[in-house]
């Protein structure tokens, strides 16, 4: 039996494989990558490397074996039909008779268009008859802390989220939840709504940035159309900018507050606060 991680050299995948190496022997882990060179560091530690691409179904032929546990990390090619890409993996996993397929989805409470691909993939997975786990990941700290340059340039956090709150957590926290499912028992046919323990507002986020930088950083709440023009002006493709504006509208409605406690329970500890992610990013 292998634990197979798709998208293993992406931001989340790297955390998952690194944490798996702390729990199971390297030879039990298969990292699925598109570029073998990017997985060289994992290969050097004894992880099996499989080269496959969501856009090339034949590359998944024979990749899985009966009894494998598979983590399907959602693709990031928004323009290439992600549900069809994910179906390639699900079909290959079903043909092999894997023991479990876990999928990184999004919050059940989120109505923004970002969720359309996730809902479609969930339907495909549930229709497959495979033993499944839905890891409905909430928002990541890093969605904000990895893009601090414009915030620090203008001393302003700009969002179209009003007074809405976000219960984000770190990528490492969400990876730990996936690892708990892949290495544990009793997670078949379960759905976990995952989010951080503490929900924060953008005003509080700006205040934390101010405290850590010693600068006066304000929160500027703007209408959605203004944010759309700011994002496209910064070079973001219009469809992706529209998705981001839709997420902010959902935040304003309270849809990114995930208070199930599932994440802390799965990882066996409190989730990391946004303040820690800010500290790490400022270094």
């Amino acid at each position: 039996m292998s634990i197979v991680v798709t998208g293993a050299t992406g931001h989340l995948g790297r955390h998952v494989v690194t944490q798996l190496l702390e729990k199971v022997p390297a030879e039990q882990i298969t990292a699925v990558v598109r570029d073998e060179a990017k997985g060289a560091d994992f290969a050097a530690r004894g992880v099996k490397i499989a080269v496959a691409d969501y856009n090339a179904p034949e590359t998944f032929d024979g990749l899985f074996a009966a009894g494998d546990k598979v983590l399907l990390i959602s693709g990031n090619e928004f323009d290439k039909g992600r549900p069809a890409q994910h179906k390639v993996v699900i079909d290959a996993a079903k043909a092999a008779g894997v023991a479990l397929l876990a999928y990184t989805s999004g919050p059940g409470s989120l109505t923004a268009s970002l969720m359309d691909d996730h809902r479609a993939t969930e339907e495909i997975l549930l229709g497959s008859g495979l033993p499944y786990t839905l890891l409905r990941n909430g928002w990541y700290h890093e969605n904000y802390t990895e893009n601090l340059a414009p915030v620090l340039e203008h001393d302003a956090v700009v969002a179209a989220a009003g007074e809405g709150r976000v219960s984000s957590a770190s990528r490492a926290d969400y990876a730990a939840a996936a690892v708990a499912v892949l290495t544990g028992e009793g997670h078949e046919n379960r759905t976990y709504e995952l989010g951080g323990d503490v929900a924060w507002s953008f005003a509080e986020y700006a205040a934390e940035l101010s405290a850590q930088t010693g600068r006066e950083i304000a929160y500027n709440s703007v209408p959605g159309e203004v944010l759309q023009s700011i994002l496209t002006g910064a070079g973001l493709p219009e469809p992706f900018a529209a998705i981001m504006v839709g997420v902010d509208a959902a935040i304003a409605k309270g849809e990114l507050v995930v208070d199930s406690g599932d994440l802390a329970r799965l990882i066996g500890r409190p989730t990391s606060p946004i303040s820690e992610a800010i500290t790490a990013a400022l270094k």
Side-chain angles (χ1 to χ4, degrees), residues 30 42 89 92 135 267:
T30 298
F42 289 145
V89 181
L135 296 166
I267 65 180

Side-chain angles (χ1 to χ4, degrees):
M1 180 207 81
S2 272
I3 294 174
V4 186
V5 180
T6 73
T9 53
H11 289 305
L12 180 63
R14 282 202 161 275
H15 279 289
V16 172
V17 175
T18 300
Q19 292 186 37
L20 279 172
L21 283 164
E22 299 170 4
K23 300 266 188 180
V24 299
E27 61 268 19
Q28 289 183 17
I29 305 168
T30 298
V32 181
V33 301
R34 281 190 294 192
D35 181 349
E36 190 167 8
K38 290 184 178 177
D41 56 327
F42 289 145
R45 298 180 66 180
V47 174
K48 298 174 189 170
I49 303 296
V51 179
D53 189 323
Y54 295 158
N55 299 303
E58 68 279 3
T59 60
F60 281 90
D61 290 347
L63 196 155
F64 304 122
D68 283 351
K69 289 184 176 180
V70 178
L71 176 65
L72 169 55
I73 294 180
S74 57
N76 59 6
E77 296 176 312
F78 291 89
D79 58 337
K80 291 192 176 178
R82 291 193 299 167
Q85 291 180 327
H86 299 155
K87 186 175 185 296
V88 167
V89 181
I90 292 166
D91 288 348
K94 181 176 182 179
V98 305
L100 181 74
L101 191 144
Y103 172 64
T104 61
S105 189
S109 56
L110 186 60
T111 61
S113 62
L114 180 69
M115 275 301 297
D116 293 348
D117 288 352
H118 288 312
R119 287 198 189 87
T121 300
E122 287 187 7
E123 287 181 16
I124 293 165
L125 178 53
L126 268 60
S128 74
L130 278 169
Y132 68 87
T133 307
L134 297 180
L135 296 166
R136 287 181 169 167
N137 290 353
W139 226 221
Y140 296 14
H141 293 333
E142 292 88 348
N143 290 347
Y144 301 103
T145 60
E146 286 182 352
N147 298 293
L148 285 180
V151 173
L152 298 176
E153 181 183 348
H154 301 288
D155 284 334
V157 172
V158 180
E163 301 303 310
R165 305 180 78 82
V166 182
S167 50
S168 62
S170 68
R171 280 201 190 99
D173 288 340
Y174 291 112
V179 168
V181 165
L182 294 167
T183 59
E185 301 296 333
H187 300 291
E188 293 83 2
N189 305 328
R190 299 283 299 273
T191 297
Y192 296 109
E193 297 287 349
L194 305 176
D197 295 339
V198 179
W200 48 268
S201 70
F202 284 89
E204 290 166 346
Y205 175 61
E208 181 64 31
L209 280 166
S210 298
Q212 291 203 30
T213 60
R215 294 158 61 170
E216 191 65 39
I217 296 177
Y219 167 44
N220 293 343
S221 180
V222 300
E225 58 269 22
V226 173
L227 182 62
Q228 173 87 13
S229 65
I230 290 171
L231 294 174
T232 53
L236 212 62
E238 198 155 319
F240 191 67
I243 288 172
M244 293 297 96
V245 172
V247 168
D248 272 16
I251 290 171
K253 292 187 283 187
E255 293 178 5
L256 269 175
V257 174
V258 180
D259 55 7
S260 66
D262 283 353
L263 182 53
R265 276 192 295 273
L266 272 177
I267 65 180
R269 59 170 172 78
T271 63
S272 59
I274 185 99
S275 58
E276 285 184 9
I278 290 171
T279 301
L282 289 173
K283 286 179 181 174

